[in-house]
Every structure is written in C-alpha cells, then in structure tokens.
Amino acid sequence: PNLLAVGGADGKLRIWDQAVSLKRMHTIQVGAVTPTQCFVAPSGWQLILSASLGDSSYSGMRPDRGGLYCYDLRMLSDGHDNKNGALVVKWPSGIKDDKDLAADCGASSMRSSMKSSRSRGSAMTANKGPSSRMALGSGIGGMDLAMVEEGNSTMAVCLMDNVVKAFDIGTGEEIPMDTQRKTVRSAPTWEFDATDRIEQEYAHASVLTAIGRHVFVGTTSPSLQIWRRPVGNNFSHSDYTPPPLQPMELRMRCVPRALNAHDVPKQAVLADPTLRPGVALGNVYKALQADRHRLAMALGPQEAVEGVRA
C-alpha cells in the first residue's frame, strides 16, 4: 500500500517505498518505450502498465511501439535493475487479434495502422527518423488506461493506436508464482474506433477513462464521448440468431458551447457545422417537438402539451 511507481522517458519503471521516507526499491527496464499510465489490479500483485512509442534519445535503443504490460509484484527481486523476469503478459501495440499475433512481427492491425498513418505525427516519423518526438500526437502505443471489474475478473480498457481496446486481466488466481515461467504475448479482447464516422477526419481520441460499463473518451475536436458497453444477454427463441453486438454504443457526445459566432473560428465551423451557435438548442427543440407529437397520438393534443410542460 505504500509503494509508488513512477515511469520515466528512459523506458524504466521505478518503484519507491514511501512508508517512512522515499526509498527506491526496484527498477524495471520496460523497454524503449514511454510509460503513460500505471495501476495495481484488485488482485494486489498485478501491476498494469501502458506505454507508448519510445524515444531513442532517452533510452539509447531502437524505439518500441509499446503496448500494455502486466507485471507480478511478487516476483520483484531486492535491489535495482530488475530484468523482465516479473513480466507476466505483454499485449503489444499494433496487434488486432490472434491472427495478427501469430504473424506478428510488429505488424499493425488494419484499423490501427490506418488511423496512425492518417495522423500528422506518424507521417513525420516515417520521413524524419525513429524518435518519438517526431510522432507527437500520433497515438502509437498505449496512451491512456482505465481498469473496470467484470464480476470476479478485471478488464483493462486502453486507448491504444488511436482506438479503444479491451484486455482481459483475469482474476489473478490463475497465475501462480513460478521463477521459470516465460512472458506470454496476447491479443486484445476487442478493439473499437471511437472517432470513425463520428468526429471529423482531423480529430483523434486523446484521453480515456471508464466507470462500470461506461467509457468516456475525449477527442481533439474537442468533444467528450460517453459510451456504454452493452450487456451480452440476449433473450430470444432458439430459431433466431441475433446480430453480433458492437463492443460499445454511443450514449452522448458533448461539445463546448459557443456563446456567439465570434467564439468559433470560421475554419472550425466549416469543418464541423455542429459547432455553430444554436445547433445544440435547435436539436433540443426538435426532440421536444417529437415528444409532443408522440404524446398527442396517445393522449390528445391538450394533454400532451400539459404533460410536456409538467
């Protein structure tokens, strides 16, 4: 409970004991990556770390795309300079499913590659060199992380490669301590592009958090998206095969309110007409009229107006 984990641009995770005074206990060489988020799973011994594309000027190594890492705190040896012996599972960046994982060699999943290739930072990296400073804003690797509980299991929801990905962390009880075990490479449970057909082409997801079945995604539009992960139960007769559910369904999209036309740049209004002042209020008025129409069909015009006013 008194441990403090700090990730550095040099690709190392340093674990400190702050019980009495700040004292460094362990150092883990994650790789040529940039750690972005770190959580301890409910099991108490699983340390979940997300990392984005590394910077060779800090690590001195060829940059790695990063991804999601699960470390066993029980396996950390005393002293500094721990190797990868405590690494239990790695979910590499650029992997969409088990087929990608089998053919891996750093190959990106289709949607992840397309999203990353459209970003300005990724194009600069391809032209000017491997340093992650050139890839600022490209979204390569794990950019943000949240933990949610699914019954007795734990799920990590991560913003990786500009898409939302989910990873099964498990209960923690199925992984015994073993000094001879090898690191397992795994693929995400699912991935979902939260900006496709919703945001403008120039926008991409930049921050993420999750509470229960709700996932909150912030984009560079700017906008805040509120998604809900549907429950998989389907009540139907045996002859009906329901269509597969999407990993997430959009419940709300929030954008900044413009007080007047001068608050919104002309270029932004041309790119996204919904930013024009009065659009949000107009949508609310349309919804009110639709409610009145539905009530009028059921109750009559006068009762419908009084019901909506109430």
Side-chain angles (χ1 to χ4, degrees):
N2 294 314
L3 294 181
L4 173 66
V6 181
D10 57 355
K12 293 182 179 180
L13 181 69
R14 296 170 177 86
I15 300 179
W16 304 74
D17 183 4
Q18 52 180 353
V20 180
S21 61
L22 202 59
K23 179 182 178 182
R24 187 167 61 152
M25 303 297 294
H26 312 285
T27 300
I28 300 175
Q29 179 64 59
V30 182
V33 297
T34 304
T36 53
Q37 279 282 9
C38 183
F39 288 99
V40 176
S43 63
W45 58 265
Q46 291 173 297
L47 182 69
I48 311 301
L49 171 74
S50 62
S52 63
L53 181 69
D55 192 330
S56 58
S57 62
Y58 289 111
S59 63
M61 299 179 288
R62 181 180 178 182
D64 188 289
R65 288 181 61 101
L68 194 68
Y69 304 78
C70 176
Y71 286 93
D72 188 347
L73 293 176
R74 304 170 301 179
M75 299 299 295
L76 295 178
S77 58
D78 295 334
H80 309 324
D81 301 326
N82 278 276
K83 303 299 181 182
N84 290 344
L87 182 58
V88 181
V89 185
K90 177 183 178 181
W91 293 272
S93 167
I95 299 297
K96 178 182 178 181
D97 50 30
D98 292 331
K99 293 182 180 179
D100 275 356
L101 190 66
D104 176 27
C105 298
S108 304
S109 63
M110 183 177 298
R111 278 188 293 177
S112 301
S113 300
M114 292 176 61
K115 289 291 291 184
S116 294
S117 63
R118 287 201 296 259
S119 60
R120 178 182 58 184
S122 183
M124 293 175 62
T125 304
N127 295 333
K128 296 188 178 181
S131 173
S132 67
R133 294 181 181 180
M134 299 297 180
L136 182 62
S138 67
I140 297 177
M143 306 304 297
D144 208 349
L145 173 66
M147 305 281 290
V148 295
E149 294 190 39
E150 292 279 316
N152 296 327
S153 184
T154 303
M155 175 181 289
V157 183
C158 184
L159 179 60
M160 185 184 297
D161 304 327
N162 287 308
V163 295
V164 180
K165 299 187 180 186
F167 306 89
D168 184 15
I169 305 300
T171 62
E173 300 176 355
E174 67 274 15
I175 305 179
M177 294 179 62
D178 185 1
T179 57
Q180 303 299 321
R181 69 184 174 199
K182 297 181 179 180
T183 300
V184 177
R185 290 166 55 86
S186 187
T189 306
W190 52 260
E191 71 171 42
F192 186 80
D193 191 346
T195 60
D196 186 32
R197 296 189 298 274
I198 297 176
E199 306 294 344
Q200 296 298 320
E201 185 70 18
Y202 64 83
H204 61 84
S206 57
V207 67
L208 170 147
T209 190
I211 301 176
R213 306 201 68 83
H214 288 84
V215 180
F216 303 83
V217 180
T219 74
T220 57
S221 290
S223 68
L224 172 64
Q225 303 172 354
I226 303 176
W227 299 82
R228 185 176 65 186
R229 296 183 294 111
V231 179
N233 294 335
N234 225 309
F235 301 98
S236 60
H237 55 82
S238 58
D239 295 333
Y240 172 70
T241 303
L245 295 174
Q246 291 294 321
M248 299 195 302
E249 55 184 9
L250 184 64
R251 306 302 299 169
M252 186 178 296
R253 177 177 179 265
C254 307
V255 297
R257 178 185 177 187
L259 299 179
N260 55 67
H262 299 289
D263 293 338
V264 183
K266 183 177 180 180
Q267 296 84 350
V269 173
L270 292 176
D272 190 354
T274 60
L275 295 179
R276 188 181 302 277
V279 171
L281 184 60
N283 291 336
V284 173
Y285 184 74
K286 289 180 181 179
L288 176 61
Q289 293 298 327
D291 290 341
R292 287 175 173 172
H293 180 69
R294 285 194 294 269
L295 285 174
M297 295 176 62
L299 305 177
Q302 186 62 32
E303 291 82 353
V305 173
E306 293 178 355
V308 172
R309 286 176 179 173

